[in-house]
């Protein structure tokens, strides 16, 4: 029997790729950059499965270009805002994602950003490299303490909860805003987002990007934060209004921000945010640990293969496709 044809939009880690090659006739896009839109539409024509990254927008046009053979779309990410889920569901195509295995890596990185912004680590290194370190000084590069301070988590899913665990080890108090989260022993829920913003010394964003959360972190949100507060975003760039953040940081209405995600990605080098000393930006690498990326590739391959076999995906974001 011929193996099912699939298109994989980038070279992923061998732990997933080996599995895919064993079960499928796979065309794997070799470029460092994603295929452009026209190429994507051409490459998916007639395939039974698509394995994509968060850099590819998968909408009705792509699904139609693939055509009636398409059985599954597997996203190599836990977030799936790059996929228009109702379009896939309308065509009864299951969509897979990779939850769980990147929780610790992402929480570690969120905490690394929090510490780095609080203690001005990247700014201090720039200071040293610029030859400004002439002596030890009592008031040089002073930052914020963590112990005894309040961390406010906006979103208390797997990653938010893992960040809370780390914060407890640093003697922080944790509050969270997430109306759908179950109670936790180590964190206190707040009823309104405003309550969190008024209390928190550190605010870390852990919500998916949806129509409701787009630009949730706007001028009004930032104005309610303490002037000494630090903002961390490892969720999605679209959750934050970058122009409003620039204004707030420049006017020192908050102490600092650390972002692993931006809108757009990559962030253009002429972004005003890059002119600010109190803004630390990394290139969407919170899940970039070897274990995490190996396992993302593996789970994405498992979802793909299950879909090709007509089996339920181990991690499906639109399980309603299985309802009769
Ligand atoms: C995800 O999986 O959604 C992450 O953003 C990738 O790092």
């Amino acid at each position: 029997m011929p193996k099912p044809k699939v298109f994989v939009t980038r070279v992923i880690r061998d732990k997933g790729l080996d599995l895919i090659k064993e079960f499928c006739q796979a065309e794997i896009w070799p470029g460092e950059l994603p295929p452009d839109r026209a190429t994507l539409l051409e490459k998916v024509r007639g395939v039974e499965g698509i394995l994509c990254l968060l850099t590819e927008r998968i909408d009705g046009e792509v699904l139609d270009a693939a055509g009636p053979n398409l059985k599954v779309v597997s996203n190599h990410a836990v977030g799936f805002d790059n996929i228009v889920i109702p379009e896939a569901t309308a065509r009864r195509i299951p969509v897979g994602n990779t939850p769980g295995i990147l929780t610790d890596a992402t929480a570690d990185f969120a905490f690394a950003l929090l510490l780095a912004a609080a203690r001005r680590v990247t700014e201090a290194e720039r200071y040293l490299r610029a030859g400004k370190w002439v002596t030890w000084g009592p008031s040089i590069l002073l930052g914020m303490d963590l112990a005894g301070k309040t961390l406010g988590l906006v979103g208390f899913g797997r990653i938010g909860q893992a960040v809370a665990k780390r914060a407890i080890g640093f003697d922080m108090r944790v509050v969270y805003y997430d109306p759908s989260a179950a109670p936790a022993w180590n964190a206190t829920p707040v009823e309104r987002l405003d309550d969190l913003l008024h209390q928190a010394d550190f605010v870390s964003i852990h919500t998916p990007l949806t129509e409701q959360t787009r630009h949730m972190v706007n001028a009004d949100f930032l104005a309610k934060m303490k002037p000494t507060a630090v903002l961390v975003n490892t969720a999605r760039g679209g959750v934050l209004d970058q122009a409003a953040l620039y204004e707030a940081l420049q006017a020192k209405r908050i102490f600092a921000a650390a972002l692993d995600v931006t809108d757009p990605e990559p962030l253009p080098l002429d972004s005003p945010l890059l002119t600010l000393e109190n803004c630390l930006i990394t290139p969407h690498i919170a899940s970039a640990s070897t274990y995490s990326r190996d396992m993302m590739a593996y789970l994405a391959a498992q979802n793909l293969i299950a879909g090709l076999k007509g089996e339920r995906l181990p991690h499906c974001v639109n399980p309603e496709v299985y309802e009769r």
Side-chain angles (χ1 to χ4, degrees):
M1 232 180 66
K3 292 178 174 179
K5 268 179 67 179
V6 301
F7 183 55
V8 179
T9 63
R10 217 75 57 79
V11 179
I12 60 170
R13 303 281 298 169
D14 284 346
K15 200 162 169 67
L17 221 43
D18 290 348
L19 208 58
I20 294 170
K21 287 179 185 162
E22 195 182 325
F23 282 92
C24 314
Q25 185 192 328
E27 177 165 8
I28 298 151
W29 182 251
E32 186 191 352
L33 293 178
D36 62 33
R37 184 74 180 174
T39 308
L40 176 66
L41 292 172
E42 183 205 315
K43 294 290 180 190
V44 298
R45 197 164 301 140
V47 298
E48 290 183 48
I50 300 172
L51 190 148
C52 57
L53 272 56
L54 52 80
T55 42
E56 284 79 64
R57 179 172 163 83
I58 306 292
D59 54 13
E61 190 185 21
V62 175
L63 300 172
D64 287 343
N69 291 342
L70 187 66
K71 293 190 178 130
V72 57
V73 173
S74 174
N75 207 32
H76 180 279
V78 63
F80 48 87
D81 48 283
N82 57 310
I83 302 178
V84 184
I85 300 300
E87 294 282 358
T89 305
R91 291 165 179 78
R92 299 190 79 77
I93 296 169
V95 175
N97 72 336
T98 63
I101 37 79
L102 46 73
T103 300
D104 284 321
T106 306
D108 286 347
F109 200 76
F111 220 80
L113 289 182
L114 188 151
L115 278 166
R119 297 301 304 275
R120 304 170 64 178
V121 172
T122 51
E123 185 188 347
E125 210 223 11
R126 280 194 297 273
Y127 171 93
L128 177 146
R129 286 178 187 262
K132 294 181 184 168
W133 184 21
V134 290
T135 184
W136 189 95
S139 301
I140 292 171
L141 288 163
L142 304 186
M144 295 297 164
D145 291 291
L146 272 65
K149 297 291 174 59
T150 298
L151 169 65
L153 297 166
V154 181
F156 200 60
R158 278 180 291 259
I159 297 172
Q161 289 171 36
V163 174
K165 274 199 222 163
R166 285 149 178 79
I168 297 301
F170 279 78
D171 286 338
M172 299 179 87
R173 171 179 169 257
V174 182
V175 298
Y176 65 90
Y177 174 73
D178 187 339
S180 62
W185 66 268
N186 57 0
T188 309
V190 292
E191 250 175 57
R192 300 173 325 132
L193 183 57
D194 283 9
D195 300 333
L196 179 142
L197 298 177
H198 289 137
Q199 292 178 40
D201 300 292
F202 297 85
V203 176
S204 190
I205 309 296
H206 300 286
T207 144
L209 176 62
T210 64
E211 281 321 306
Q212 290 70 45
T213 62
R214 183 174 295 282
H215 283 196
M216 176 184 71
V217 183
N218 54 19
D220 183 51
F221 181 113
L222 294 160
K224 288 173 181 153
M225 288 174 65
K226 294 184 184 180
T228 48
V230 172
L231 175 74
V232 177
N233 187 10
T234 51
R236 283 292 182 267
V239 174
L240 172 72
D241 176 349
Q242 285 173 189
L245 179 65
Y246 174 77
E247 294 300 326
L249 287 171
Q250 206 215 18
K252 303 222 167 15
R253 284 200 287 276
I254 64 172
F255 180 72
L259 316 175
D260 183 48
V261 285
T262 61
D263 184 18
E265 291 184 358
L267 185 68
L269 286 179
D270 62 358
S271 165
L273 288 175
L274 292 172
T275 64
L276 299 172
E277 285 291 7
N278 57 350
C279 189
L280 188 174
I281 308 181
T282 51
H284 201 152
I285 54 162
S287 69
S289 73
T290 306
Y291 167 79
S292 173
R293 290 290 166 84
D294 280 351
M295 289 306 291
M296 284 167 76
Y298 187 66
L299 287 198
Q302 281 189 322
N303 280 332
L304 180 77
I305 291 162
L308 295 170
K309 289 180 173 167
E311 293 168 3
R312 204 180 172 99
L313 310 194
H315 301 284
C316 183
V317 303
N318 57 345
E320 54 282 16
V321 294
Y322 298 117
E323 287 163 16
R324 287 185 174 270

